[in-house]
Amino acid sequence: MVLIIIIALSIVIWQQNTTIQQIQTELSAEHDMSAVEKRLSDTESSIVDLQTQTAALQTYTNSKSKTDSIEQKLSTLSMQVQQNTNDIRTINLYSPHNIGSEK
């Protein structure tokens, strides 16, 4: 009779251990899912940050391109003004008024 009780208790203890292992496995899986969800959330945040930085960089690039274009136009205009100034000096040098005053 004692042997039957010991066997019965062993079976109950084995079942309890199996149930505990299943619960531990489920909790571990939930913990792993929680970690995966956290990594996914972090990754999504990183993607949003990257998109924001990319948009800012695109805005800067467009602005820089416009600035470079304006600088190029200003440089061209400056050269044209310098050339016009030289032309005016040449014209003034050979104008009848200056030619007559040299005599």
Side-chain angles (χ1 to χ4, degrees), residues 25-53:
T25 301
E26 289 172 8
L27 286 175
S28 177
E30 286 179 16
H31 177 71
D32 289 346
M33 283 305 286
S34 177
V36 168
E37 288 173 355
K38 171 87 171 85
R39 285 195 304 263
L40 180 60
S41 176
D42 291 348
T43 302
E44 288 172 344
S45 294
S46 294
I47 288 171
V48 169
D49 289 345
L50 222 78
Q51 288 171 333
T52 302
Q53 291 173 1

Side-chain angles (χ1 to χ4, degrees), residues 67-98:
T67 300
D68 289 348
S69 175
I70 290 170
E71 288 176 352
Q72 180 62 39
K73 288 176 183 175
L74 284 173
S75 175
T76 301
L77 284 174
S78 176
M79 287 188 289
Q80 288 174 344
V81 166
Q82 184 62 43
Q83 184 59 46
N84 288 345
T85 302
N86 290 341
D87 291 347
I88 290 171
R89 285 185 181 143
T90 302
I91 290 170
N92 281 339
L93 184 64
Y94 293 107
S95 71
H97 175 72
N98 283 337

